[in-house]
């Protein structure tokens, strides 16, 4: 069971993200009110082409400014999965981010969803470890509904299908078994990734909004893996509408 020591929920951490940033880097860096987290070179290349400046958060974590409202962190340059995603989320929230969106690849569990869709998960199965250290383990963790709606509007206007449903967050990529795929698919899961539950849980704990936009990289069925989705539109095409949605969300909240 995670966490091993449940009494932790009533106590504060020994040190905070701000403490760590002060000790390991140049201190807390101011970031835009909305931040996109990226996991693929394709998307990071697109960001580098349009970013107007960048700043080091700490170590190998860099934030690119896409506008005064929206920034981008290439998480994959520090690693992938729930632990590093939770740390980066903590760091950008400490720097002032009020909304965090994962824009990245996933395995699609529903073969009827077209490969060019932008999947918008609404809840996540918490099959990783990080989220359980922030929130009790009773329920799924949820994306922020208004932010999901804004992403839906912008991506839909850009021509993407935007199916919604549960996502399954797991840290064991090579132990995604057929019985699990069948179980979660029958219970409404449409996608699978390694980060969403951790990002959303950190944001809920810290009082920030969170959501995920999934680009289909592969398809996973109980008895078959299709490594390439065959889609034409990808993360590059999803970037601009995602920035537009975050800008709308932040402006409405101000």
């Amino acid at each position: 069971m995670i966490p091993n020591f449940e009494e932790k929920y009533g106590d504060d951490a020994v040190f905070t993200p701000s403490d760590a940033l002060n000790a390991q880097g140049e201190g807390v860096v101011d970031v835009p009110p909305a931040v996109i987290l990226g996991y693929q070179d394709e998307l990071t290349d697109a960001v580098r082409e349009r970013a107007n400046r960048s700043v080091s958060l700490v170590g190998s974590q860099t934030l690119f400014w896409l506008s005064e409202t929206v920034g981008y962190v290439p998480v994959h340059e520090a690693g992938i999965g729930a632990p590093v995603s939770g740390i980066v989320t903590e760091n950008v929230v400490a720097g002032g981010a009020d909304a965090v969106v994962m824009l990245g690849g996933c395995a699609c569990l529903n073969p009827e969803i077209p490969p060019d869709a932008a999947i918008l998960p609404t809840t996540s199965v918490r099959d990783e470890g990080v989220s359980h250290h922030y929130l009790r383990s009773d329920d799924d963790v949820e994306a922020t509904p208004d932010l999901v709606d804004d992403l839906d509007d912008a991506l839909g206007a850009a021509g993407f299908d935007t199916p919604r449903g549960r996502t399954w967050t797991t840290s064991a990529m090579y132990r995604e078994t057929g019985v699990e795929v069948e179980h979660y698919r029958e219970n409404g899961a449409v996608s699978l990734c390694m980060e969403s539950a951790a990002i959303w849980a950190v944001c809920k704990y810290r009082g920030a909004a969170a959501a995920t936009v999934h680009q289909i990289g592969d398809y996973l069925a109980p008895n078959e893996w299709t490594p390439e989705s065959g889609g034409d539109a990808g993360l590059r095409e999803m970037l601009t509408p995602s920035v537009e949605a975050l800008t709308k969300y932040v402006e409405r909240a101000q």
Side-chain angles (χ1 to χ4, degrees):
M1 182 176 180
I2 301 175
N4 288 327
F5 192 73
E6 285 198 58
E7 285 79 359
K8 74 174 297 172
Y9 292 120
D11 200 10
D12 294 329
V14 177
F15 62 91
T16 67
S18 297
D19 293 334
L21 292 169
N22 286 325
Q24 299 172 4
E26 301 298 322
V28 177
V29 176
D30 290 337
V31 306
V35 174
I36 295 171
L37 305 185
Y39 296 84
Q40 278 78 28
D41 288 333
E42 168 194 355
L43 179 59
T44 297
D45 290 344
V47 168
R48 291 182 190 276
E49 291 169 6
R50 63 183 284 182
N52 53 45
R53 66 184 189 274
S54 65
V55 62
S56 175
L57 297 177
V58 65
S60 60
Q61 299 172 29
T62 301
L63 181 134
F64 293 88
W65 290 71
L66 292 166
S67 69
E68 292 305 307
T69 304
V70 182
Y72 173 86
V73 178
V75 180
H76 64 98
E77 294 184 350
I80 61 171
V84 68
S85 297
I87 291 169
V88 173
T89 301
E90 284 274 28
N91 290 344
V92 298
V93 171
D98 296 315
V100 179
V101 167
M102 172 191 176
L103 177 54
C106 75
C108 182
L109 305 184
N110 185 339
E112 297 186 2
I113 295 177
D116 290 332
I119 296 177
L120 298 175
T122 53
T123 61
S124 181
V125 178
R126 298 163 61 191
D127 206 11
E128 39 61 72
V130 173
S131 70
H132 300 276
H133 289 275
Y134 286 83
L135 306 174
R136 293 186 182 274
S137 303
D138 300 333
D139 302 308
D140 286 0
V141 65
E142 299 180 350
T144 303
D146 289 350
L147 180 53
V148 175
D149 288 343
D150 287 340
L151 289 162
D152 200 338
D153 290 344
L155 287 158
F160 288 96
D161 289 340
T162 52
R164 301 191 189 192
R166 296 174 87 193
T167 193
W168 168 24
T169 305
T170 178
S171 293
M173 183 173 69
Y174 293 138
R175 285 294 296 154
E176 296 162 2
T177 65
V179 290
E180 289 175 295
V181 173
E182 184 173 11
H183 170 76
Y184 290 125
R185 188 167 69 177
E186 289 178 352
N187 285 275
V190 295
S191 66
L192 161 67
C193 76
M194 299 174 68
E195 295 89 11
S196 290
I199 295 166
W200 300 0
V202 171
C203 285
K204 183 174 182 179
Y205 184 82
R206 297 297 183 187
T212 293
V213 180
H214 272 155
Q215 177 260 344
I216 300 173
D218 57 301
Y219 284 89
L220 195 61
N223 298 304
E224 183 180 11
W225 175 46
T226 305
E228 298 291 337
S229 67
D232 294 322
L235 294 167
R236 277 182 172 268
E237 291 77 18
M238 295 177 185
L239 177 60
T240 293
S242 297
V243 170
E244 291 172 351
L246 279 165
T247 301
K248 177 181 177 182
Y249 180 84
V250 168
E251 290 177 347
R252 187 175 62 244
Q254 289 177 342

